[in-house]
Amino acid sequence: ETGVTQSPTHLIKTRGQQVTLRCSSQSGHNTVSWYQQALGQGPQFIFQYYREEENGRGNFPPRFSGLQFPNYSSELNVNALELDDSALYLCASSVQTGGFTEAFFGQGTRLTVV
Amino acid sequence: AQSVTQLDSQVPVFEEAPVELRCNYSSSVSVYLFWYVQYPNQGLQLLLKYLSGSTLVKGINGFEAEFNKSQTSFHLRKPSVHISDTAEYFCAVIDTGTASKLTFGTGTRLQVTL
C-alpha cells in the first residue's frame, strides 16, 4: 500500500466523450504526476502539478488537462476521447524538496474507449 | 532529452535460476536511474534506485543492479528467482536537475516457471 488511491479502477467510455480521473495523494505529498501506460508499453509522462500549478508537461495534446486541489488531490481530464486513449492511467505523488524524492504510484485507472 | 532501452521484451527463466534484465539509457544530462516492478492489475513499485555513490545498488526482494556509466547501462540481477517474481519490470531515468519527469523503458516481462 502506497497511500495513493485512484478512482475509478475501471471505466468504459465512448469515443468523443469526456472523462475525469481522480487521484488522492499520500499524506504530506505536495506534487502529483500523471502517466499514461498503453498496453505493452512503459508509462509515458503526461504532466505534473506542484502546489496547484502545472510544473511540466509531456507530449500530450491540450485535450489532456489537469487540476490539483488545496488538499493536493488531483484530477486528470480528457476531452474528445479517441480510441488510442485506451490505457492504464497512473498517478504518482511525491514531495518537492529541491532534490530527488521517491514517487509513490497508485494502482491506476483502466480506461477503455469504444 | 532521455531515452531508455530494454532490449528483452520477455525473459523466461526457471525457478531458482539466476536472471539479468538489461537496461541501457541515453541522456544529454546527468540522470538518476530506477527499476520498478508491476504486478498484474497493479501500479508500479520501486525496486531500487541509483542516485550517487557505489555503482552496485541493492533493492527489495533480493534484486540488485549495477550502474555502468561508460556503457550507459543499469542491468538488474537476481541470483535465484522465485515464482512470485513473475511480473513486468521497468527501467526508468530522471534528469537530476529537474527530478520531476520519469522516462521509462518499454518493460521486460519476467516469466518464472517450475
Side-chain angles (χ1 to χ4, degrees):
Chain A
E1 284 293 322
T2 64
V4 180
T5 57
Q6 294 186 240
S7 62
T9 55
H10 297 82
L11 77 164
I12 300 173
K13 289 286 189 177
T14 302
R15 189 172 50 182
Q17 284 188 314
Q18 179 266 343
V19 69
T20 297
L21 311 182
R22 295 178 174 83
C23 173
S24 177
S25 303
Q26 185 166 327
S27 178
H29 286 188
N30 57 14
T31 302
V32 172
S33 302
W34 285 91
Y35 292 82
Q36 180 196 65
Q37 185 180 12
L39 197 62
Q41 300 295 317
Q44 298 286 319
F45 176 74
I46 303 174
F47 44 56
Q48 182 183 84
Y49 278 81
Y50 169 62
R51 292 186 175 180
E52 303 177 56
E53 298 284 333
E54 190 177 288
N55 182 41
R57 188 179 182 92
N59 188 26
F60 281 81
R63 59 189 185 84
F64 285 78
S65 63
L67 282 173
Q68 186 182 30
F69 300 99
N71 66 355
Y72 301 132
S73 65
S74 178
E75 289 182 353
L76 164 65
N77 299 289
V78 187
N79 294 321
L81 284 166
E82 301 177 359
L83 296 180
D84 285 348
D85 296 332
S86 296
L88 180 68
Y89 288 85
L90 295 165
C91 163
S93 77
S94 60
V95 178
Q96 285 277 22
T97 62
F100 169 77
T101 58
E102 181 180 345
F104 292 87
F105 283 83
Q107 82 284 5
T109 294
R110 174 76 62 187
L111 171 65
T112 302
V113 182
V114 297
Chain B
Q2 299 91 42
S3 67
V4 177
T5 302
Q6 293 182 245
L7 292 169
D8 306 304
S9 59
Q10 293 188 62
V11 174
V13 63
F14 291 112
E15 191 175 39
E16 299 183 4
V19 70
E20 179 179 81
L21 305 185
R22 296 181 292 168
C23 172
N24 288 87
Y25 70 93
S26 173
S27 178
S28 57
V29 298
S30 179
V31 296
Y32 298 134
L33 300 116
F34 309 87
W35 276 98
Y36 285 86
V37 61
Q38 186 176 38
Y39 298 102
N41 300 313
Q42 293 191 26
L44 299 171
Q45 181 183 9
L46 182 65
L47 271 179
L48 49 78
K49 60 183 180 286
Y50 174 77
L51 304 183
S52 64
S54 172
T55 57
L56 182 64
V57 293
K58 295 188 182 298
I60 62 172
N61 302 340
F63 283 94
E64 63 181 31
E66 185 152 23
F67 170 53
N68 187 318
K69 188 173 182 179
S70 63
Q71 297 186 9
T72 60
S73 67
F74 190 54
H75 301 332
L76 181 71
R77 296 191 292 258
K78 186 170 183 178
S80 176
V81 297
H82 301 285
I83 291 285
S84 60
D85 292 323
T86 295
E88 193 83 21
Y89 292 79
F90 292 96
C91 181
V93 301
I94 198 167
D95 177 353
T96 61
T98 63
S100 60
K101 163 194 165 185
L102 283 161
T103 300
F104 289 87
T106 52
T108 297
R109 169 74 176 170
L110 176 63
Q111 183 69 50
V112 182
T113 55
L114 294 172

